[in-house]
Amino acid sequence: DKDWLEELREELTQWNADSFTGMSDFPKLRATCLEIERLRPSVPIFLRFAARDFEFEGYHVPKNSPVLHLHTLCHFLEEYYDEPRKFNPRRFLENPKLPERDVHGTYGGGEHRCVGQNLARILPAVVLGALVSRYDLQFTTGIPTMAERFDVGPVPIEDPINVQWTPRN
């Protein structure tokens, strides 16, 4: 999204990773990071074990059974995100309630939220802020489609996506 990239770059004109103290001065950077995290969660499925016997949809799940917890499913449901497969960081600016608690599940939810969530969100912001503010990028293998297949996590369908980074003036 070239328009979004230009808006983000404008926000990042005063970017300095050495003095970065948080996202409050960079709402578009925050929105971009959240949207990337939503579309490409690093760990989309957690393996859990049933703490006790329970019934679910007519199935008996015995205590200690492995259970896959798809905590990022809500990222792709229209009742939570309009056009959920579309890259649209503006959604986080237009609706300040996003991401809703326990809907944006990249770092788990409820009692099992990652205690390192805030720290884990700093590195992508620092890297993305530095790259976008200092370099132009060109996809040398074509524009990514955002289509994916699911393996251990969501994986792009395309062959490796090559990007050329050129320092900006």
Side-chain angles (χ1 to χ4, degrees):
D1 184 335
K2 291 180 182 184
D3 292 336
W4 180 257
L5 179 60
E6 288 310 311
E7 289 180 39
L8 179 59
R9 280 197 171 129
E10 187 172 323
E11 178 180 272
L12 293 170
T13 55
Q14 301 303 314
W15 175 259
N16 182 345
D18 295 336
S19 60
F20 178 69
T21 59
M23 300 284 225
S24 60
D25 293 331
F26 302 101
K28 291 179 181 172
L29 178 62
R30 176 185 176 272
T32 304
C33 289
L34 285 171
E35 186 68 346
I36 291 168
E37 181 182 295
R38 184 187 73 78
L39 285 169
R40 293 284 193 259
S42 57
V43 183
I45 300 169
F46 286 143
L47 176 62
R48 299 284 186 230
F49 295 90
R52 56 180 161 65
D53 289 3
F54 69 94
E55 297 288 326
F56 180 76
E57 301 276 328
Y59 293 95
H60 176 74
V61 180
K63 180 179 179 176
N64 295 324
S65 294
V67 178
L68 290 178
H69 177 209
L70 183 57
H71 61 284
T72 57
L73 175 64
C74 294
H75 293 195
F76 304 99
L77 299 177
E78 289 186 3
E79 54 262 40
Y80 298 110
Y81 294 102
D82 290 334
E83 298 182 89
R85 297 213 172 265
K86 180 181 178 187
F87 178 78
N88 179 15
R90 283 185 180 84
R91 70 178 83 237
F92 294 100
L93 299 176
E94 294 165 355
N95 183 351
K97 293 181 181 180
L98 291 179
E100 293 182 34
R101 180 170 169 76
D102 298 335
V103 169
H104 195 81
T106 301
Y107 295 97
E111 296 176 16
H112 299 284
R113 266 185 129 46
C114 175
V115 296
Q117 171 181 336
N118 292 331
L119 180 61
R121 283 187 166 154
I122 294 296
L123 184 58
V126 170
V127 171
L128 186 63
L131 288 175
V132 168
S133 66
R134 296 180 185 157
Y135 295 90
D136 286 321
L137 66 134
Q138 180 178 354
F139 295 102
T140 58
T141 52
I143 302 295
T145 65
M146 295 301 289
E148 73 262 338
R149 64 182 166 79
F150 286 90
D151 196 341
V152 174
V155 179
I157 288 176
E158 292 97 359
D159 289 332
I161 299 168
N162 295 320
V163 179
Q164 179 179 340
W165 297 93
T166 307
R168 302 189 80 206
N169 296 333

